[in-house]
Amino acid sequence: MRVAAIDCGTNSIRLLIADVDAGSAESGSGRLVDVERRLEIVRLGQGVDRTGRFAAEALARTFDACRRYATLIDSSGAEQVRFVATSATRDAANREEFMTGVRDLLGVEPEVISGEEEARLSFAGATRELAGRGFPTPHLVVDIGGGSTEFVLGGTGDLPTVAGPQAAISVDLGCVRLTERCLPSDPPADAEIAAARAEVDRQLDKAGLTVPFEEARTLVGLAGTVTTVAAMALDLSSYDPDRLHHARIPATAVHAACARLLAMDHDERRRLPYMHPGRVDVIGGGSLILDGIAARVAPFLDHAEVVVSEHDILDGIAWSCEGPEELIPCAF
């Protein structure tokens, strides 16, 4: 079955059109065959942490992207469409204006999902293909977004998706939110970086009360912050998803990349060959989050590294289009 999945977050809106071969839910088999993947940085969450509302220009950027996605979906012949909105939409007082616009443009009901559902879908997208590939379980999947970060622990033996997530939490810690709160200067001052690290530590303390980091054996990182930091650690000459997918980045390399990014100004970051233009002003904050997570979790892992995944919540949304029986069971 051909499906279309849309993930609308705080910083970006992404589309996956894919053919689903469900395989066996019991064995975790099956595959997604990509037809189209698109990403646009729309910064829907611009100022939401401060004002509690979507800015008019942010809504306009998002609706423009939805129009382009609607054209692609219509021409693809997708049989099922699921539109998921996450952190910024949960927080915005005028979210009905956003939802009405999406309905009008795409003809689908947008779902404002909880942080726990976001975490579960991220786990599904990231772990379904890990079985039998030598990544020890349990897996700790971390999805660093613009407004929130999801932590999901799960997997036993060789079938992480069948075991499902065992614990999950979403915290208000994302690259846009942290930058707006703590990192106004370019490059950020030492005092700003210290304040940002303190906020990261505070949120990690909160997450650790629900998700036992000490049980993790593999740390899996998702989304644009992780792939950008990994591209820097690997010294890529351009953004290369094939090189990045399942790359193993030592925690020490994450720390070094974070330090480099925080020392750069806007123009230096913009010139990096793998840097998406929409991440230039928030990658420092995102790298601080990833560095904090890697430092906190590394002592417990079989290998002190971050395993990068190009597959994430978008893939989890696509799998869920197959029907409720294909959703990974939760045990939160």
Side-chain angles (χ1 to χ4, degrees), residues 42-328:
V42 294
R43 195 64 56 83
L44 177 63
Q46 170 192 332
V48 168
D49 188 56
R50 176 178 53 85
T51 67
R53 298 179 62 83
F54 289 133
E57 60 269 30
L59 286 170
R61 291 191 298 266
T62 304
F63 293 156
D64 283 346
C66 286
R67 288 185 186 93
R68 290 186 284 274
Y69 286 176
T71 299
L72 290 169
I73 292 168
D74 287 345
S75 64
S76 74
E79 301 169 57
Q80 297 286 339
V81 180
R82 187 178 185 191
F83 185 109
V84 164
T86 55
S87 178
T89 309
R90 291 194 292 266
D91 297 341
N94 60 335
R95 71 182 188 181
E96 188 55 42
E97 182 179 355
F98 161 77
M99 296 176 74
T100 298
V102 171
R103 289 188 202 102
D104 291 346
L105 291 165
L106 288 163
V108 64
E109 185 67 27
E111 301 173 53
V112 183
I113 61 172
S114 68
E116 289 74 16
E117 171 73 354
E118 184 177 357
R120 186 180 62 75
L121 288 168
S122 294
F123 185 86
T127 65
R128 184 151 185 157
E129 64 181 14
L130 292 182
R133 298 197 177 193
F135 298 106
T137 58
H139 298 147
L140 176 62
V141 174
V142 295
D143 186 348
I144 302 172
S148 65
T149 295
E150 285 66 53
F151 299 82
V152 197
L153 182 76
T156 56
D158 225 15
L159 294 172
T161 57
V162 173
Q166 300 154 13
I169 190 171
S170 177
V171 297
D172 288 336
L173 181 69
C175 60
V176 175
R177 195 185 296 266
L178 188 66
T179 299
E180 291 183 350
R181 284 184 177 179
C182 300
L183 303 170
S185 303
D186 181 39
D190 289 346
E192 294 170 358
I193 294 172
R197 288 195 185 278
E199 175 63 11
V200 171
D201 285 340
R202 186 178 74 83
Q203 295 290 350
L204 289 177
D205 288 344
K206 177 181 178 181
L209 295 175
T210 299
V211 176
F213 296 153
E214 68 276 7
E215 294 183 15
R217 294 299 174 264
T218 298
L219 174 61
V220 183
L222 316 183
T225 285
V226 175
T227 56
T228 303
V229 170
M232 172 171 274
L234 294 171
D235 195 25
L236 297 185
S237 59
S238 63
Y239 191 89
D240 186 344
D242 292 332
R243 286 280 307 278
L244 289 167
H245 191 46
H246 292 169
R248 299 171 182 253
I249 310 299
T252 53
V254 170
H255 183 71
C258 176
R260 284 182 61 195
L261 288 165
L262 291 170
M264 292 177 171
D265 63 23
H266 183 278
D267 288 341
E268 290 171 318
R269 296 191 301 273
R270 179 180 55 80
R271 288 194 293 268
L272 294 171
Y274 39 77
M275 181 68 68
H276 191 289
R279 301 196 192 283
V280 173
D281 59 337
V282 295
I283 189 60
S287 71
L288 276 168
I289 297 170
L290 180 60
D291 188 31
I293 294 169
R296 182 73 64 98
V297 178
F300 310 117
L301 303 174
D302 280 20
H303 303 283
E305 63 189 15
V306 179
V307 177
V308 180
S309 178
E310 284 278 341
H311 295 176
D312 52 26
I313 186 174
L314 196 58
D315 301 78
I317 297 167
W319 280 117
S320 74
C321 290
E322 180 68 11
E325 70 280 5
E326 292 300 321
L327 298 180
I328 295 172

